[in-house]
Amino acid sequence: MNSRKATAALALATALALGASACSSDSKSTDKNKTGSSNSQGTAAAKDAALTGIVNASDKKGGTVVMENSDVPDSLDPGNTYYGWVQNFSRLYARTLLTFKPAAGKDGLTVVPDLATGLGKASPDAKTWTYTIRSGLKYDDGTPITTKDIKYAIERSNFAPEALSNGPTYFKAYLAGGDAYKGPYKDKNPNGIASIETPNDTTIIFHLAKPFADFDYLATFSQTAPVPAAKDDGAGYVKHIVSSGPYKFASYQDGASADLVRNPQWSQADDPVRKALPNEIKIKFKVNANTIDNNLLAGNSTVDSGGTGVTPQTQAKVIGPKYAKNTDDSYAGATSYLAINPNVAPYSNPDCRKAIEYAIDKVSVQTAIGGPVKGDVATTLLPPTVNGYTKFDSFPTPDNKGDQAKAKASLAACGKPGGFTTTLTARSDRPAEMAEATAIQNSLKQVGITANIKSFPAGKYFSNFAGVPSYVHSHQLGLMLTAWGADWPTGYGFLDQIVDGSAIKPSGGNNLQELNDKNINAALAAAIANTDAAARTKAWGDIDKMVVDTATVVPLIYRKNLLYRPDAATNVTVTQAYLGMYDYLLLGSSK
């Protein structure tokens, strides 16, 4: 998915930050912005303006932000999500130890304190990290926020997969004793895991089993948003989330909608990150993707919360002269790729996997999703925007259009000269991904491989289907489309959760190819422990090549998101921290 953290020295290397805030109800300023002219606080409303500046800037409170999403979230519970857009959205109601600065351009790459008073204080060996949080903070019900609540939040999100399976596993992998701790729902020790200390209500100390130079990035994850143990009921917590941010839930209808209103216990004086300009934020789920685009064009909504850009059907319209000034074509810091699972026949044979690598016409995949405006053809997992990217091509084909001769030779080498039948999965509510699937299906057909497309909804894709090894094996899901953006913009923040064997989970996993190569695992651990930044950077490119050389992933597209911003939306800027979508902490609407 996507998140971010690191040391003070690494902070400026992180991904762009998102946000959402309200907008002006001043019709004069809105009309002025519609003309494309700038105001005193922001840049002009023009094509790609939100990539480097704030468009339609406003400091007026009021209005409602209206969001729509083509499916349901994996979960709005901050401790049970791994979708980048939810990590961003949750910042409206869930504060974390650190976060990304809501700002345009390079300033959005900065990690800043949120609940904490400063960045982490690390021991010389990067194995002990200490944070101090602000005193006097309260939840929306008026009870105090303490570091014990942050510790509990991490315990429930990382050590209770039976209830919360969607999030990443970094804390479990790196905390001392993480392998033995059974989580707050099973462990009988009321003090919880010993490697997180809370000597008082404002201090929290993390003791790691091994060095982790990027820990400040980890402190930005929604998993560090405090949860009071007395209010937690596991998977049911999503129905009554206790807010630590400027907004609280006025209503939540599972699978349908949520309505956020102001949290009276939140104080601007204690929150240097959020301006909280809107009065209300509404979000609707399961809205057809084309309907979302039409509502944006008509000014009936503020933003597509998914942040993946307009559909192929809408693209031709928005790049035309009428709408182009309201578009932002942002690199997402993400790569679309095909996972090949070697635990599904016939992919235990590497030559059968290589047949897939050589057969796919990547240009046809690019064309299917809308052409170069939607991304560049990929040959690596790491996208060019991530620290450590190194250009290489392990399975080159002429002009990236596939090589049928090499594919057929690989089929013969794996004992399948006539081809075989396989299953290819994609997310049903994402038209671009379904278009990718069709293009791949057509490429494979040319060499005798029949790929039957099976689609699943995005909200359950990882928790119930592609991310569940038992389901994948029993249903023979050999090929699975996915896309990944950096948890933070270094090679480790991109690669670990999709290629490290320790990231394979019973459900909610993102290592869809179930790669568990001891050499790759060891290389990742050694690199993140290295305090030499230049050596770490080089290692990420080397590891990327090790992964691609296994022929368990087919890099497809370095993604771009062609976003549309309505004229009424104010404080609009794009962040790469949350995959090149609009920044919710800044975004506002006069609707």
Side-chain angles (χ1 to χ4, degrees), residues 25-310:
S25 57
D26 183 341
S27 62
K28 293 182 179 179
S29 68
T30 300
D31 289 341
K32 186 176 182 180
N33 286 328
K34 284 185 177 180
T35 67
S37 60
S38 63
N39 58 33
S40 61
Q41 302 179 57
T43 61
K47 185 179 186 305
D48 290 336
L51 302 184
T52 55
I54 297 175
V55 179
N56 296 354
S58 172
D59 59 2
K60 303 293 179 63
K61 289 191 174 183
T64 299
V65 167
V66 178
M67 298 182 177
E68 294 178 320
N69 195 284
S70 62
D71 196 49
V72 297
D74 51 358
S75 176
L76 293 184
D77 182 339
N80 194 31
T81 180
Y82 212 168
Y83 267 116
W85 78 263
V86 184
Q87 290 271 330
N88 183 25
F89 181 73
S90 69
R91 300 197 304 162
L92 299 170
Y93 55 86
R95 296 180 65 183
T96 49
L97 279 171
L98 306 177
T99 193
F100 286 95
K101 184 178 181 180
K106 292 182 179 179
D107 284 348
L109 297 172
T110 308
V111 172
V112 296
D114 191 353
L115 290 174
T117 58
L119 299 180
K121 296 180 180 179
S123 62
D125 62 1
K127 290 175 65 175
T128 301
W129 292 78
T130 303
Y131 297 86
T132 301
I133 70 167
R134 306 168 198 275
S135 59
L137 302 174
K138 296 180 179 180
Y139 293 108
D140 64 71
D141 63 2
T143 58
I145 296 172
T146 73
T147 50
K148 290 181 177 60
D149 301 333
I150 298 173
K151 174 179 178 176
Y152 180 78
I154 293 168
E155 290 171 341
R156 70 187 288 271
S157 64
N158 277 257
F159 298 95
E162 71 278 5
L164 309 170
S165 64
N166 292 324
T169 57
Y170 292 112
F171 285 104
K172 181 177 182 179
Y174 277 89
L175 283 169
D179 290 340
Y181 179 57
K182 298 183 182 301
Y185 307 138
K186 293 181 178 180
D187 187 76
K188 303 302 180 184
N189 185 347
N191 296 320
I193 191 167
S195 52
I196 303 179
E197 290 186 81
T198 54
N200 56 55
D201 287 347
T202 57
T203 303
I204 187 166
I205 306 169
F206 299 91
H207 298 280
L208 309 183
K210 45 194 172 183
F212 191 71
D214 281 5
F215 198 85
D216 266 345
Y217 285 111
L218 192 52
T220 70
F221 268 103
S222 62
Q223 293 178 316
T224 69
V227 175
K231 299 294 181 67
D232 181 34
D233 58 351
Y237 180 69
V238 70
K239 299 176 183 177
H240 51 83
I241 293 170
V242 184
S243 171
S244 55
Y247 298 96
K248 65 177 184 178
F249 284 86
S251 67
Y252 169 75
Q253 294 183 321
D254 188 28
S257 64
D259 187 11
L260 303 179
V261 296
R262 293 191 182 278
N263 171 10
Q265 300 294 338
W266 175 82
S267 169
Q268 179 73 79
D270 294 323
D271 189 342
V273 177
R274 300 159 182 81
K275 299 303 181 184
L277 297 180
N279 286 334
E280 188 174 15
I281 298 167
K282 294 178 176 290
I283 185 166
K284 298 177 182 178
F285 307 127
K286 300 291 286 187
V287 181
N288 178 273
N290 290 312
T291 300
I292 292 175
D293 289 350
N294 290 333
N295 284 338
L296 287 170
L297 293 174
N300 295 326
S301 64
T302 313
V303 68
D304 174 359
S305 67
T308 55
V310 299

Side-chain angles (χ1 to χ4, degrees), residues 396-422:
T397 67
D399 299 320
N400 294 308
K401 293 183 178 181
D403 190 321
Q404 293 184 20
K406 285 185 178 179
K408 289 178 179 179
S410 295
L411 284 172
C414 82
K416 301 285 185 179
F420 54 85
T421 298
T422 190

